[in-house]
Amino acid sequence: GDLEQVVKLGRPNVPITDIDREFLRRRFRELYLENGFPPVQVEALLSGMNFTETYPAFVFLWCGPGGSIWVQPVRPVSSLSSEERATFWVGPNAEADALFDVFDRQGRYLGMVPLPDGFWPFRFQGENLLGRWRDSMDVEYIYVLKVEGMPAV
């Protein structure tokens, strides 16, 4: 298809520091080893790992109610608490950051929406946001949140 629209938010690109790179390599090493990769293979994977100069603008995006766009911005490693670093996982991580920038269907910025602690969204269905919520004892539940106040289609 043809490009229909470009949506921008005037945030500067966040540099990936040497400290961030070291942390990410160390965390990947741990994850690979925890998942049974042979040490020789882990070192080969890590030696081929390259980083860009800056973090990407966002991690994930979803199409929301009323044609809205929900975007999860990247949180640099340096902004994570020591507890968040200890449980850091590459990919969707509700515990690290459940804040989303929301745009209307015309690309206008509506604001940042925080989701409940422990909640990770899976998909929108109408005005509902379906997802997983994890309580303080690590028990997971299916959660449905009603999204109100979105512009009509």
Side-chain angles (χ1 to χ4, degrees):
D2 295 329
L3 177 65
E4 291 187 25
Q5 185 175 11
V6 175
V7 177
K8 292 183 179 184
L9 186 58
R11 286 196 186 126
N13 293 337
V14 178
I16 298 177
T17 67
D18 289 339
I19 293 169
D20 295 345
R21 287 181 183 91
E22 288 172 28
F23 170 83
L24 291 167
R25 280 192 180 94
R26 187 172 55 252
R27 189 63 184 124
F28 270 105
R29 178 179 282 109
E30 292 168 0
L31 291 170
Y32 286 143
L33 292 172
E34 286 170 12
N35 285 287
F37 284 70
V40 171
Q41 187 178 8
V42 170
E43 294 312 315
L45 288 166
L46 293 174
S47 69
M49 185 178 288
N50 295 308
F51 294 92
T52 60
E53 293 300 313
T54 61
Y55 281 95
F58 62 91
V59 181
F60 290 98
L61 70 108
W62 284 270
C63 296
S68 61
I69 302 168
W70 291 55
V71 181
Q72 183 189 26
V74 171
R75 273 185 69 195
V77 170
S78 57
S79 74
L80 301 177
S81 69
S82 57
E83 181 179 289
E84 289 170 326
R85 287 182 189 202
T87 60
F88 179 83
W89 183 75
V90 178
N93 192 347
E95 291 74 21
D97 198 2
L99 294 170
F100 291 82
D101 289 313
V102 181
F103 300 85
D104 70 9
R105 71 178 311 115
Q106 285 77 37
R108 288 185 297 258
Y109 184 63
L110 300 176
M112 187 168 265
V113 175
L115 296 179
D117 288 344
F119 180 80
W120 182 253
F122 291 138
R123 64 178 246 147
F124 284 96
Q125 185 169 341
E127 293 182 346
N128 295 321
L129 178 55
L130 290 75
R132 177 205 74 215
W133 178 71
R134 184 179 295 159
D135 69 16
S136 61
M137 295 181 60
D138 254 0
V139 177
E140 294 182 347
Y141 303 85
I142 300 298
Y143 242 48
V144 179
L145 303 176
K146 179 143 177 102
V147 178
E148 297 179 336
M150 294 302 301
V153 177

